[in-house]
Short mmCIF file of all heavy atoms in Angstrom, two decimals:
data_model
loop_
_atom_site.label_atom_id
_atom_site.label_comp_id
_atom_site.label_asym_id
_atom_site.label_seq_id
_atom_site.Cartn_x
_atom_site.Cartn_y
_atom_site.Cartn_z
N THR A 1 -1.57 50.17 -94.84
CA THR A 1 -0.73 50.90 -95.76
C THR A 1 0.28 51.75 -95.00
O THR A 1 0.15 51.94 -93.79
CB THR A 1 -1.57 51.79 -96.68
OG1 THR A 1 -2.16 52.83 -95.91
CG2 THR A 1 -2.63 51.01 -97.43
N ALA A 2 1.21 52.30 -95.73
CA ALA A 2 2.21 53.15 -95.10
C ALA A 2 1.58 54.39 -94.49
O ALA A 2 2.02 54.86 -93.43
CB ALA A 2 3.27 53.54 -96.14
N ALA A 3 0.54 54.91 -95.11
CA ALA A 3 -0.11 56.12 -94.58
C ALA A 3 -0.73 55.85 -93.22
O ALA A 3 -0.66 56.69 -92.32
CB ALA A 3 -1.17 56.62 -95.56
N ILE A 4 -1.34 54.69 -93.04
CA ILE A 4 -1.94 54.35 -91.74
C ILE A 4 -0.84 54.12 -90.71
O ILE A 4 -0.95 54.59 -89.57
CB ILE A 4 -2.88 53.15 -91.87
CG1 ILE A 4 -4.11 53.57 -92.68
CG2 ILE A 4 -3.27 52.60 -90.50
CD1 ILE A 4 -5.09 52.46 -92.97
N ALA A 5 0.22 53.42 -91.08
CA ALA A 5 1.33 53.21 -90.16
C ALA A 5 1.95 54.54 -89.74
O ALA A 5 2.26 54.75 -88.56
CB ALA A 5 2.38 52.29 -90.79
N ASP A 6 2.11 55.45 -90.68
CA ASP A 6 2.64 56.78 -90.36
C ASP A 6 1.71 57.53 -89.41
O ASP A 6 2.15 58.18 -88.46
CB ASP A 6 2.84 57.61 -91.62
CG ASP A 6 4.03 57.17 -92.45
OD1 ASP A 6 4.94 56.51 -91.89
OD2 ASP A 6 4.05 57.49 -93.65
N ALA A 7 0.41 57.45 -89.67
CA ALA A 7 -0.57 58.13 -88.81
C ALA A 7 -0.53 57.56 -87.39
O ALA A 7 -0.55 58.31 -86.41
CB ALA A 7 -1.97 58.02 -89.40
N LEU A 8 -0.46 56.24 -87.26
CA LEU A 8 -0.38 55.62 -85.94
C LEU A 8 0.90 56.02 -85.22
O LEU A 8 0.88 56.33 -84.03
CB LEU A 8 -0.48 54.11 -86.06
CG LEU A 8 -1.86 53.57 -86.41
CD1 LEU A 8 -1.78 52.10 -86.79
CD2 LEU A 8 -2.84 53.78 -85.26
N ALA A 9 2.01 56.03 -85.94
CA ALA A 9 3.28 56.44 -85.33
C ALA A 9 3.21 57.89 -84.85
O ALA A 9 3.74 58.22 -83.80
CB ALA A 9 4.43 56.26 -86.33
N GLY A 10 2.51 58.74 -85.60
CA GLY A 10 2.37 60.12 -85.19
C GLY A 10 1.49 60.32 -83.98
O GLY A 10 1.63 61.30 -83.26
N LEU A 11 0.59 59.39 -83.73
CA LEU A 11 -0.30 59.48 -82.58
C LEU A 11 0.32 58.89 -81.31
O LEU A 11 -0.16 59.16 -80.21
CB LEU A 11 -1.63 58.75 -82.88
CG LEU A 11 -2.50 59.42 -83.93
CD1 LEU A 11 -3.61 58.46 -84.37
CD2 LEU A 11 -3.09 60.71 -83.39
N TRP A 12 1.34 58.07 -81.46
CA TRP A 12 1.97 57.44 -80.30
C TRP A 12 2.71 58.50 -79.51
O TRP A 12 3.36 59.37 -80.09
CB TRP A 12 2.94 56.34 -80.78
CG TRP A 12 3.20 55.33 -79.73
CD1 TRP A 12 4.32 55.21 -78.98
CD2 TRP A 12 2.32 54.28 -79.31
NE1 TRP A 12 4.20 54.17 -78.11
CE2 TRP A 12 2.98 53.58 -78.29
CE3 TRP A 12 1.04 53.89 -79.68
CZ2 TRP A 12 2.40 52.49 -77.65
CZ3 TRP A 12 0.47 52.81 -79.04
CH2 TRP A 12 1.14 52.12 -78.04
N PRO A 13 2.63 58.50 -78.17
CA PRO A 13 3.19 59.59 -77.38
C PRO A 13 4.72 59.67 -77.39
O PRO A 13 5.27 60.75 -77.22
CB PRO A 13 2.67 59.32 -75.97
CG PRO A 13 2.33 57.87 -75.95
CD PRO A 13 1.94 57.52 -77.35
N SER A 14 5.40 58.56 -77.57
CA SER A 14 6.86 58.60 -77.63
C SER A 14 7.29 58.35 -79.07
O SER A 14 6.55 57.77 -79.86
CB SER A 14 7.46 57.55 -76.70
OG SER A 14 6.96 56.27 -77.03
N PRO A 15 8.48 58.80 -79.42
CA PRO A 15 8.93 58.59 -80.80
C PRO A 15 8.91 57.10 -81.17
O PRO A 15 9.31 56.25 -80.38
CB PRO A 15 10.36 59.12 -80.79
CG PRO A 15 10.42 60.07 -79.65
CD PRO A 15 9.46 59.51 -78.62
N CYS A 16 8.39 56.82 -82.32
CA CYS A 16 8.39 55.45 -82.81
C CYS A 16 8.48 55.46 -84.33
O CYS A 16 8.24 56.48 -84.97
CB CYS A 16 7.16 54.68 -82.33
SG CYS A 16 5.62 55.28 -82.99
N ALA A 17 8.83 54.34 -84.86
CA ALA A 17 8.96 54.20 -86.31
C ALA A 17 8.57 52.78 -86.69
O ALA A 17 8.47 51.90 -85.84
CB ALA A 17 10.40 54.50 -86.74
N TRP A 18 8.36 52.58 -87.94
CA TRP A 18 8.05 51.26 -88.45
C TRP A 18 8.91 51.01 -89.67
O TRP A 18 9.47 51.94 -90.25
CB TRP A 18 6.56 51.13 -88.78
CG TRP A 18 6.10 52.06 -89.86
CD1 TRP A 18 5.67 53.35 -89.70
CD2 TRP A 18 6.06 51.80 -91.25
NE1 TRP A 18 5.37 53.91 -90.91
CE2 TRP A 18 5.60 52.97 -91.90
CE3 TRP A 18 6.38 50.70 -92.04
CZ2 TRP A 18 5.44 53.05 -93.27
CZ3 TRP A 18 6.21 50.78 -93.40
CH2 TRP A 18 5.75 51.95 -94.00
N GLU A 19 9.05 49.76 -90.02
CA GLU A 19 9.83 49.41 -91.20
C GLU A 19 9.27 48.14 -91.82
O GLU A 19 8.64 47.33 -91.15
CB GLU A 19 11.30 49.22 -90.86
CG GLU A 19 11.57 48.09 -89.90
CD GLU A 19 13.02 47.99 -89.49
OE1 GLU A 19 13.60 48.99 -89.06
OE2 GLU A 19 13.57 46.88 -89.60
N THR A 20 9.48 48.00 -93.09
CA THR A 20 9.10 46.77 -93.76
C THR A 20 10.27 45.81 -93.69
O THR A 20 11.42 46.22 -93.48
CB THR A 20 8.71 47.02 -95.23
OG1 THR A 20 9.83 47.62 -95.89
CG2 THR A 20 7.51 47.94 -95.34
N THR A 21 9.98 44.55 -93.83
CA THR A 21 11.04 43.54 -93.81
C THR A 21 11.08 42.81 -95.14
O THR A 21 10.10 42.78 -95.87
CB THR A 21 10.81 42.52 -92.67
OG1 THR A 21 9.60 41.83 -92.94
CG2 THR A 21 10.74 43.20 -91.32
N ALA A 22 12.20 42.23 -95.41
CA ALA A 22 12.37 41.48 -96.65
C ALA A 22 12.01 40.01 -96.46
O ALA A 22 12.19 39.22 -97.35
CB ALA A 22 13.81 41.62 -97.13
N SER A 23 11.51 39.66 -95.29
CA SER A 23 11.18 38.26 -95.04
C SER A 23 10.04 37.82 -95.94
O SER A 23 9.18 38.62 -96.31
CB SER A 23 10.81 38.04 -93.58
OG SER A 23 9.63 38.74 -93.28
N PRO A 24 10.01 36.55 -96.31
CA PRO A 24 8.92 36.07 -97.17
C PRO A 24 7.57 36.17 -96.45
O PRO A 24 7.47 35.87 -95.26
CB PRO A 24 9.29 34.62 -97.45
CG PRO A 24 10.44 34.28 -96.57
CD PRO A 24 10.97 35.54 -95.96
N LEU A 25 6.60 36.62 -97.16
CA LEU A 25 5.26 36.76 -96.60
C LEU A 25 4.41 35.58 -97.02
O LEU A 25 4.68 34.93 -98.03
CB LEU A 25 4.63 38.07 -97.11
CG LEU A 25 5.37 39.35 -96.75
CD1 LEU A 25 4.75 40.53 -97.48
CD2 LEU A 25 5.36 39.58 -95.26
N PRO A 26 3.35 35.29 -96.25
CA PRO A 26 2.43 34.23 -96.69
C PRO A 26 1.91 34.55 -98.09
O PRO A 26 1.82 35.72 -98.48
CB PRO A 26 1.30 34.29 -95.66
CG PRO A 26 1.86 35.01 -94.49
CD PRO A 26 2.94 35.93 -95.02
N HIS A 27 1.58 33.53 -98.83
CA HIS A 27 1.20 33.72 -100.23
C HIS A 27 0.04 34.69 -100.43
O HIS A 27 -0.03 35.35 -101.44
CB HIS A 27 0.88 32.37 -100.87
CG HIS A 27 -0.37 31.73 -100.37
ND1 HIS A 27 -0.43 31.05 -99.18
CD2 HIS A 27 -1.61 31.72 -100.88
CE1 HIS A 27 -1.66 30.62 -98.98
NE2 HIS A 27 -2.40 31.00 -100.00
N GLU A 28 -0.86 34.81 -99.46
CA GLU A 28 -2.01 35.69 -99.64
C GLU A 28 -1.75 37.11 -99.16
O GLU A 28 -2.56 38.01 -99.37
CB GLU A 28 -3.25 35.14 -98.92
CG GLU A 28 -3.22 35.27 -97.41
CD GLU A 28 -2.47 34.16 -96.70
OE1 GLU A 28 -1.87 33.29 -97.35
OE2 GLU A 28 -2.48 34.16 -95.46
N ALA A 29 -0.60 37.38 -98.54
CA ALA A 29 -0.34 38.68 -97.94
C ALA A 29 -0.45 39.82 -98.95
O ALA A 29 -0.92 40.91 -98.61
CB ALA A 29 1.02 38.70 -97.26
N GLY A 30 -0.05 39.60 -100.17
CA GLY A 30 -0.13 40.65 -101.17
C GLY A 30 -1.54 40.91 -101.65
O GLY A 30 -1.80 41.91 -102.31
N GLN A 31 -2.47 40.03 -101.32
CA GLN A 31 -3.85 40.17 -101.76
C GLN A 31 -4.78 40.74 -100.69
O GLN A 31 -5.90 41.11 -100.99
CB GLN A 31 -4.40 38.80 -102.20
CG GLN A 31 -3.59 38.14 -103.28
CD GLN A 31 -3.54 38.96 -104.55
OE1 GLN A 31 -4.53 39.52 -104.97
NE2 GLN A 31 -2.36 39.05 -105.15
N LEU A 32 -4.34 40.77 -99.44
CA LEU A 32 -5.21 41.19 -98.34
C LEU A 32 -5.45 42.69 -98.39
O LEU A 32 -4.53 43.48 -98.57
CB LEU A 32 -4.59 40.81 -97.00
CG LEU A 32 -4.39 39.31 -96.78
CD1 LEU A 32 -3.65 39.07 -95.46
CD2 LEU A 32 -5.70 38.56 -96.81
N ARG A 33 -6.70 43.08 -98.24
CA ARG A 33 -7.09 44.48 -98.24
C ARG A 33 -8.22 44.68 -97.22
O ARG A 33 -9.08 43.81 -97.07
CB ARG A 33 -7.63 44.92 -99.61
CG ARG A 33 -6.69 44.72 -100.76
CD ARG A 33 -5.58 45.80 -100.76
NE ARG A 33 -4.72 45.67 -101.90
CZ ARG A 33 -3.57 44.99 -101.92
NH1 ARG A 33 -3.17 44.36 -100.86
NH2 ARG A 33 -2.83 44.94 -102.98
N LEU A 34 -8.21 45.82 -96.57
CA LEU A 34 -9.34 46.18 -95.72
C LEU A 34 -10.40 46.78 -96.62
O LEU A 34 -10.16 47.76 -97.32
CB LEU A 34 -8.91 47.19 -94.66
CG LEU A 34 -7.92 46.69 -93.62
CD1 LEU A 34 -7.49 47.83 -92.71
CD2 LEU A 34 -8.49 45.56 -92.83
N ASP A 35 -11.57 46.18 -96.64
CA ASP A 35 -12.62 46.63 -97.55
C ASP A 35 -13.97 46.40 -96.89
O ASP A 35 -14.37 45.26 -96.66
CB ASP A 35 -12.53 45.86 -98.86
CG ASP A 35 -13.54 46.32 -99.89
OD1 ASP A 35 -14.35 47.24 -99.59
OD2 ASP A 35 -13.55 45.76 -100.99
N ALA A 36 -14.66 47.48 -96.59
CA ALA A 36 -15.96 47.39 -95.93
C ALA A 36 -17.11 47.52 -96.92
O ALA A 36 -18.26 47.65 -96.51
CB ALA A 36 -16.07 48.47 -94.86
N SER A 37 -16.84 47.46 -98.22
CA SER A 37 -17.89 47.70 -99.21
C SER A 37 -19.02 46.68 -99.12
O SER A 37 -20.19 47.05 -99.30
CB SER A 37 -17.32 47.74 -100.62
OG SER A 37 -16.72 46.51 -100.95
N LEU A 38 -18.73 45.42 -98.83
CA LEU A 38 -19.80 44.43 -98.71
C LEU A 38 -20.69 44.72 -97.50
O LEU A 38 -21.92 44.64 -97.59
CB LEU A 38 -19.23 43.02 -98.63
CG LEU A 38 -20.24 41.89 -98.64
CD1 LEU A 38 -21.08 41.91 -99.92
CD2 LEU A 38 -19.55 40.55 -98.49
N ALA A 39 -20.09 45.10 -96.38
CA ALA A 39 -20.88 45.45 -95.20
C ALA A 39 -21.73 46.68 -95.48
O ALA A 39 -22.89 46.75 -95.05
CB ALA A 39 -19.97 45.70 -94.00
N LYS A 40 -21.18 47.64 -96.20
CA LYS A 40 -21.95 48.84 -96.56
C LYS A 40 -23.13 48.47 -97.46
O LYS A 40 -24.25 48.95 -97.26
CB LYS A 40 -21.06 49.86 -97.24
CG LYS A 40 -20.07 50.52 -96.31
CD LYS A 40 -19.18 51.49 -97.05
CE LYS A 40 -18.19 52.14 -96.11
NZ LYS A 40 -17.34 53.11 -96.80
N LYS A 41 -22.86 47.61 -98.42
CA LYS A 41 -23.90 47.24 -99.39
C LYS A 41 -24.98 46.36 -98.76
O LYS A 41 -26.17 46.64 -98.88
CB LYS A 41 -23.26 46.50 -100.56
CG LYS A 41 -24.25 46.02 -101.60
CD LYS A 41 -23.54 45.24 -102.68
CE LYS A 41 -24.55 44.58 -103.60
NZ LYS A 41 -23.94 43.68 -104.54
N GLU A 42 -24.57 45.31 -98.07
CA GLU A 42 -25.51 44.32 -97.56
C GLU A 42 -26.17 44.74 -96.24
O GLU A 42 -27.31 44.36 -95.98
CB GLU A 42 -24.82 42.96 -97.38
CG GLU A 42 -24.30 42.37 -98.67
CD GLU A 42 -25.41 41.96 -99.63
OE1 GLU A 42 -26.48 41.51 -99.18
OE2 GLU A 42 -25.19 42.12 -100.86
N LEU A 43 -25.45 45.46 -95.42
CA LEU A 43 -25.94 45.78 -94.08
C LEU A 43 -26.21 47.28 -93.89
O LEU A 43 -26.60 47.69 -92.80
CB LEU A 43 -24.93 45.33 -93.03
CG LEU A 43 -24.56 43.85 -93.07
CD1 LEU A 43 -23.42 43.56 -92.10
CD2 LEU A 43 -25.77 42.98 -92.76
N GLN A 44 -25.97 48.07 -94.93
CA GLN A 44 -26.08 49.52 -94.84
C GLN A 44 -25.22 50.06 -93.70
O GLN A 44 -25.58 51.02 -93.02
CB GLN A 44 -27.55 49.97 -94.67
CG GLN A 44 -28.42 49.76 -95.89
CD GLN A 44 -28.76 48.30 -96.13
OE1 GLN A 44 -29.23 47.62 -95.23
NE2 GLN A 44 -28.52 47.83 -97.34
N TRP A 45 -24.08 49.44 -93.50
CA TRP A 45 -23.15 49.82 -92.43
C TRP A 45 -22.38 51.07 -92.83
O TRP A 45 -22.02 51.26 -93.99
CB TRP A 45 -22.17 48.68 -92.17
CG TRP A 45 -21.13 49.02 -91.16
CD1 TRP A 45 -21.25 48.92 -89.80
CD2 TRP A 45 -19.82 49.52 -91.42
NE1 TRP A 45 -20.08 49.34 -89.20
CE2 TRP A 45 -19.19 49.70 -90.18
CE3 TRP A 45 -19.12 49.82 -92.57
CZ2 TRP A 45 -17.90 50.18 -90.06
CZ3 TRP A 45 -17.83 50.31 -92.45
CH2 TRP A 45 -17.24 50.47 -91.20
N GLN A 46 -22.14 51.93 -91.87
CA GLN A 46 -21.29 53.10 -92.05
C GLN A 46 -20.36 53.19 -90.85
O GLN A 46 -20.75 52.87 -89.73
CB GLN A 46 -22.13 54.38 -92.12
CG GLN A 46 -22.99 54.48 -93.37
CD GLN A 46 -22.14 54.57 -94.64
OE1 GLN A 46 -21.14 55.26 -94.69
NE2 GLN A 46 -22.54 53.83 -95.65
N PRO A 47 -19.13 53.61 -91.06
CA PRO A 47 -18.22 53.74 -89.93
C PRO A 47 -18.73 54.80 -88.95
O PRO A 47 -19.33 55.79 -89.36
CB PRO A 47 -16.89 54.17 -90.56
CG PRO A 47 -17.23 54.63 -91.93
CD PRO A 47 -18.52 53.99 -92.32
N LYS A 48 -18.50 54.55 -87.68
CA LYS A 48 -18.96 55.48 -86.65
C LYS A 48 -18.04 56.70 -86.57
O LYS A 48 -18.48 57.80 -86.26
CB LYS A 48 -19.00 54.76 -85.30
CG LYS A 48 -19.53 55.59 -84.17
CD LYS A 48 -19.70 54.78 -82.91
CE LYS A 48 -20.27 55.63 -81.79
NZ LYS A 48 -20.47 54.85 -80.57
N TRP A 49 -16.76 56.50 -86.81
CA TRP A 49 -15.78 57.56 -86.71
C TRP A 49 -15.01 57.71 -88.01
O TRP A 49 -14.77 56.73 -88.72
CB TRP A 49 -14.76 57.26 -85.61
CG TRP A 49 -15.34 57.02 -84.27
CD1 TRP A 49 -16.24 57.79 -83.60
CD2 TRP A 49 -15.06 55.92 -83.41
NE1 TRP A 49 -16.53 57.24 -82.38
CE2 TRP A 49 -15.81 56.09 -82.24
CE3 TRP A 49 -14.24 54.81 -83.50
CZ2 TRP A 49 -15.76 55.20 -81.18
CZ3 TRP A 49 -14.19 53.91 -82.46
CH2 TRP A 49 -14.94 54.12 -81.31
N PRO A 50 -14.53 58.91 -88.30
CA PRO A 50 -13.59 59.06 -89.42
C PRO A 50 -12.29 58.30 -89.09
O PRO A 50 -12.01 58.02 -87.92
CB PRO A 50 -13.33 60.57 -89.49
CG PRO A 50 -14.25 61.21 -88.52
CD PRO A 50 -14.84 60.16 -87.64
N LEU A 51 -11.51 58.00 -90.09
CA LEU A 51 -10.30 57.20 -89.90
C LEU A 51 -9.39 57.77 -88.83
O LEU A 51 -8.92 57.03 -87.96
CB LEU A 51 -9.54 57.06 -91.22
CG LEU A 51 -8.25 56.26 -91.15
CD1 LEU A 51 -8.50 54.84 -90.66
CD2 LEU A 51 -7.55 56.26 -92.48
N GLN A 52 -9.11 59.06 -88.85
CA GLN A 52 -8.18 59.64 -87.87
C GLN A 52 -8.68 59.44 -86.44
O GLN A 52 -7.90 59.14 -85.54
CB GLN A 52 -7.96 61.13 -88.17
CG GLN A 52 -6.84 61.76 -87.37
CD GLN A 52 -5.46 61.19 -87.70
OE1 GLN A 52 -5.22 60.64 -88.76
NE2 GLN A 52 -4.54 61.33 -86.76
N GLU A 53 -9.99 59.58 -86.22
CA GLU A 53 -10.56 59.36 -84.88
C GLU A 53 -10.44 57.89 -84.48
O GLU A 53 -10.12 57.57 -83.34
CB GLU A 53 -12.02 59.81 -84.87
CG GLU A 53 -12.74 59.52 -83.57
CD GLU A 53 -12.31 60.41 -82.41
OE1 GLU A 53 -11.53 61.36 -82.61
OE2 GLU A 53 -12.76 60.14 -81.29
N ALA A 54 -10.69 56.99 -85.41
CA ALA A 54 -10.57 55.56 -85.11
C ALA A 54 -9.13 55.20 -84.76
O ALA A 54 -8.89 54.43 -83.82
CB ALA A 54 -11.06 54.74 -86.30
N LEU A 55 -8.18 55.76 -85.48
CA LEU A 55 -6.78 55.50 -85.17
C LEU A 55 -6.41 56.06 -83.81
O LEU A 55 -5.71 55.41 -83.02
CB LEU A 55 -5.88 56.09 -86.26
CG LEU A 55 -6.01 55.48 -87.65
CD1 LEU A 55 -5.12 56.22 -88.64
CD2 LEU A 55 -5.71 54.00 -87.64
N ARG A 56 -6.87 57.28 -83.49
CA ARG A 56 -6.58 57.87 -82.19
C ARG A 56 -7.15 57.01 -81.06
O ARG A 56 -6.49 56.75 -80.07
CB ARG A 56 -7.14 59.30 -82.09
CG ARG A 56 -6.74 60.00 -80.78
CD ARG A 56 -7.46 61.30 -80.58
NE ARG A 56 -8.90 61.15 -80.48
CZ ARG A 56 -9.56 60.68 -79.40
NH1 ARG A 56 -8.89 60.30 -78.34
NH2 ARG A 56 -10.86 60.60 -79.40
N ARG A 57 -8.38 56.54 -81.23
CA ARG A 57 -8.99 55.70 -80.21
C ARG A 57 -8.27 54.36 -80.09
O ARG A 57 -8.17 53.81 -78.99
CB ARG A 57 -10.47 55.50 -80.51
CG ARG A 57 -11.30 56.75 -80.25
CD ARG A 57 -12.74 56.53 -80.66
NE ARG A 57 -13.56 57.68 -80.38
CZ ARG A 57 -14.44 57.74 -79.38
NH1 ARG A 57 -14.60 56.72 -78.56
NH2 ARG A 57 -15.15 58.83 -79.20
N THR A 58 -7.78 53.84 -81.19
CA THR A 58 -7.01 52.60 -81.15
C THR A 58 -5.73 52.79 -80.35
O THR A 58 -5.38 51.95 -79.50
CB THR A 58 -6.70 52.12 -82.58
OG1 THR A 58 -7.93 51.88 -83.26
CG2 THR A 58 -5.86 50.86 -82.57
N VAL A 59 -5.03 53.88 -80.58
CA VAL A 59 -3.81 54.17 -79.82
C VAL A 59 -4.14 54.37 -78.35
O VAL A 59 -3.45 53.83 -77.47
CB VAL A 59 -3.07 55.39 -80.41
CG1 VAL A 59 -1.98 55.89 -79.47
CG2 VAL A 59 -2.48 55.06 -81.77
N ASP A 60 -5.19 55.11 -78.05
CA ASP A 60 -5.59 55.32 -76.65
C ASP A 60 -5.89 53.99 -75.97
O ASP A 60 -5.48 53.77 -74.82
CB ASP A 60 -6.83 56.22 -76.57
CG ASP A 60 -6.53 57.67 -76.94
OD1 ASP A 60 -5.34 58.04 -77.04
OD2 ASP A 60 -7.51 58.43 -77.13
N TRP A 61 -6.60 53.10 -76.67
CA TRP A 61 -6.92 51.78 -76.09
C TRP A 61 -5.64 50.99 -75.83
O TRP A 61 -5.48 50.40 -74.77
CB TRP A 61 -7.84 51.00 -77.04
CG TRP A 61 -8.11 49.63 -76.54
CD1 TRP A 61 -9.09 49.25 -75.68
CD2 TRP A 61 -7.35 48.45 -76.81
NE1 TRP A 61 -9.00 47.90 -75.41
CE2 TRP A 61 -7.92 47.39 -76.10
CE3 TRP A 61 -6.22 48.20 -77.59
CZ2 TRP A 61 -7.44 46.10 -76.15
CZ3 TRP A 61 -5.73 46.90 -77.64
CH2 TRP A 61 -6.34 45.87 -76.92
N GLN A 62 -4.73 50.98 -76.80
CA GLN A 62 -3.50 50.22 -76.65
C GLN A 62 -2.68 50.75 -75.48
O GLN A 62 -2.12 49.97 -74.70
CB GLN A 62 -2.68 50.27 -77.94
CG GLN A 62 -1.40 49.45 -77.90
CD GLN A 62 -1.64 47.96 -77.84
OE1 GLN A 62 -2.56 47.47 -78.45
NE2 GLN A 62 -0.79 47.26 -77.10
N LEU A 63 -2.58 52.06 -75.35
CA LEU A 63 -1.84 52.65 -74.23
C LEU A 63 -2.46 52.29 -72.89
O LEU A 63 -1.76 51.98 -71.93
CB LEU A 63 -1.74 54.16 -74.41
CG LEU A 63 -0.87 54.64 -75.57
CD1 LEU A 63 -1.06 56.14 -75.79
CD2 LEU A 63 0.58 54.29 -75.36
N ALA A 64 -3.79 52.32 -72.82
CA ALA A 64 -4.47 51.94 -71.57
C ALA A 64 -4.22 50.47 -71.27
O ALA A 64 -3.96 50.10 -70.11
CB ALA A 64 -5.97 52.22 -71.70
N TRP A 65 -4.26 49.63 -72.28
CA TRP A 65 -4.02 48.19 -72.07
C TRP A 65 -2.60 47.96 -71.57
O TRP A 65 -2.38 47.18 -70.64
CB TRP A 65 -4.27 47.43 -73.38
CG TRP A 65 -4.11 45.96 -73.23
CD1 TRP A 65 -5.05 45.07 -72.77
CD2 TRP A 65 -2.95 45.20 -73.53
NE1 TRP A 65 -4.51 43.81 -72.78
CE2 TRP A 65 -3.22 43.85 -73.25
CE3 TRP A 65 -1.69 45.52 -74.03
CZ2 TRP A 65 -2.29 42.84 -73.43
CZ3 TRP A 65 -0.76 44.51 -74.22
CH2 TRP A 65 -1.08 43.19 -73.92
N LEU A 66 -1.63 48.64 -72.18
CA LEU A 66 -0.25 48.49 -71.74
C LEU A 66 -0.05 48.98 -70.30
O LEU A 66 0.81 48.47 -69.59
CB LEU A 66 0.69 49.26 -72.69
CG LEU A 66 0.86 48.67 -74.08
CD1 LEU A 66 1.60 49.64 -74.99
CD2 LEU A 66 1.55 47.33 -74.03
N ALA A 67 -0.86 49.95 -69.88
CA ALA A 67 -0.77 50.48 -68.51
C ALA A 67 -1.55 49.62 -67.52
O ALA A 67 -1.59 49.91 -66.34
CB ALA A 67 -1.29 51.91 -68.48
N GLY A 68 -2.20 48.57 -68.02
CA GLY A 68 -2.96 47.68 -67.14
C GLY A 68 -4.34 48.20 -66.79
O GLY A 68 -4.95 47.76 -65.82
N GLU A 69 -4.82 49.14 -67.54
CA GLU A 69 -6.16 49.71 -67.27
C GLU A 69 -7.25 48.90 -67.93
O GLU A 69 -7.08 48.29 -68.93
CB GLU A 69 -6.20 51.16 -67.75
CG GLU A 69 -5.21 52.03 -67.01
CD GLU A 69 -5.14 53.43 -67.58
OE1 GLU A 69 -6.06 53.87 -68.31
OE2 GLU A 69 -4.14 54.09 -67.31
#
């Protein structure tokens, strides 16, 4: 969602932005959603980190990968 993209952009160390495009999307693109409810129900799974922490760690990982670490 836009909120997650905004949060990731805010965590990136240099200024960055994102934009949507008018290009045609695959037919299922409008239906795709991140939903862990089945894993929670069937596996009693719970996220290890709150969303903001997971996003921060994702940015940290990406930066390390780009640096060859």
Side-chain angles (χ1 to χ4, degrees):
T1 68
I4 291 176
D6 286 339
L8 288 168
L11 291 167
W12 203 256
S14 57
C16 66
W18 62 273
E19 63 184 52
T20 58
T21 63
S23 65
L25 300 172
H27 69 280
E28 74 276 5
Q31 303 299 318
L32 299 175
R33 303 284 183 266
L34 294 175
D35 183 359
S37 62
L38 185 60
K40 289 178 180 182
K41 178 183 171 188
E42 297 293 325
L43 304 173
Q44 291 73 51
W45 176 84
Q46 292 296 318
K48 184 173 181 178
W49 304 310
L51 179 59
Q52 190 65 23
E53 175 72 6
L55 295 176
R56 185 189 62 76
R57 287 176 178 254
T58 299
V59 168
D60 290 348
W61 176 87
Q62 182 68 36
L63 292 170
W65 183 83
L66 289 170
E69 297 174 18

